[in-house]
Amino acid sequence: MVRPIRPEEYLHDYLLEDSLVTVTLRRLLWRTPLHFENNIYTDVHYGQMQWDYLNGGMLLSCTKEMEMQVGVLAMLQHWAKPEQQNSALSSWAGGELVSACWHREELKEYTPKTLQSYISPEVLQHQVEMLLRTRQPLPPVDAKIQFIEHVMKLPFFGYTIYFVERVSDDTISVPCFFGVNEEEIIVVDKTSQAVSCIIPLKELQKMRTLRPLSDGGLPGLELNYGSAASPKTMWLELAQAKEMYHTVVVILDKTELHH
């Protein structure tokens, strides 16, 4: 189970009492503009964005433009590797390609898991080869900055994305994505990536997690929102129900939302 630590909680209480607890530094809010004069700051943000991108936390629609984006981001991840790792791979940029099979394996490491079945390895390899022939290689820190700046232009940047299997609202096609940022919860269609529903966080009245309805089933999350005159309720089933619950609580900093 993953959840943010609340402001009033003490980090060492968790680290001292359970050796199985792992702490990850992660940014949830993006109000403050990013700056890149500090390499550690750049590395931390690059690490988070790259992990989110490769694990499906950044939504890209399955279009020709998406293939170009994946190619550009693959090239930047390649250049972002430490110099000693890239020295052995310099033939990428020199036009003298070594084993094509080997390059496809590396490209797979740079491609989001959720998109690997939609993109032809041959097309992606050709795309990256063309980019490397026409662009001047960047130092790792500059490649990381350009990767971050590219990701920040994606339509759902700034949202924490969750994959949802079932929703109580029949008008919402499932499976789908739910996104959370400091202002709202959005529902995003899995195929078209159109936003089908928006719940402003200021309208969220109450939240609670739900146990799985059956053995092996997914946990759930119930959202009560709207106004006193027009209350609404929605429940959803997702593997990360507790993580989403605690993320919203930390963003709102409302301890009155009971678990």
Side-chain angles (χ1 to χ4, degrees), residues 190-205:
K190 182 176 181 289
T191 305
S192 69
Q193 301 209 341
V195 176
S196 58
C197 179
I198 298 176
I199 303 173
L201 290 187
K202 63 183 179 182
E203 293 186 9
L204 191 59
Q205 305 297 329

Side-chain angles (χ1 to χ4, degrees), residues 168-201:
S168 59
D169 187 336
D170 293 337
T171 65
I172 297 174
S173 299
V174 289
C176 62
F177 297 103
F178 271 58
V180 180
N181 72 1
E182 66 266 28
E183 296 179 350
E184 61 193 12
I185 298 172
I186 59 172
V187 183
V188 182
D189 185 89
K190 182 176 181 289
T191 305
S192 69
Q193 301 209 341
V195 176
S196 58
C197 179
I198 298 176
I199 303 173
L201 290 187

Side-chain angles (χ1 to χ4, degrees), residues 11 13 16 37-39 48 70 77 79 83 86 119 128 138 141 143 147 159 168 173 200 209 229 235-236 243-244 257:
L11 174 62
D13 285 346
L16 294 175
E37 65 273 12
N38 182 285
N39 286 350
Q48 174 175 333
V70 172
Q77 288 176 84
W79 284 338
E83 299 282 6
N86 265 349
I119 299 178
V128 174
L138 294 172
V141 65
F147 180 93
Y159 288 89
S168 59
S173 299
T209 54
W235 60 258
L236 43 146
E243 179 180 343
M244 182 174 172
L257 289 174

Side-chain angles (χ1 to χ4, degrees), residues 48-63:
Q48 174 175 333
M49 290 187 188
Q50 184 194 36
W51 192 94
D52 283 348
Y53 170 71
L54 294 177
N55 288 278
M58 303 283 183
L59 300 185
L60 297 172
S61 57
C62 297
T63 62

Side-chain angles (χ1 to χ4, degrees), residues 225-238:
Y225 60 100
S227 63
S230 180
K232 298 177 182 178
T233 299
M234 179 190 297
W235 60 258
L236 43 146
E237 288 185 1
L238 68 161

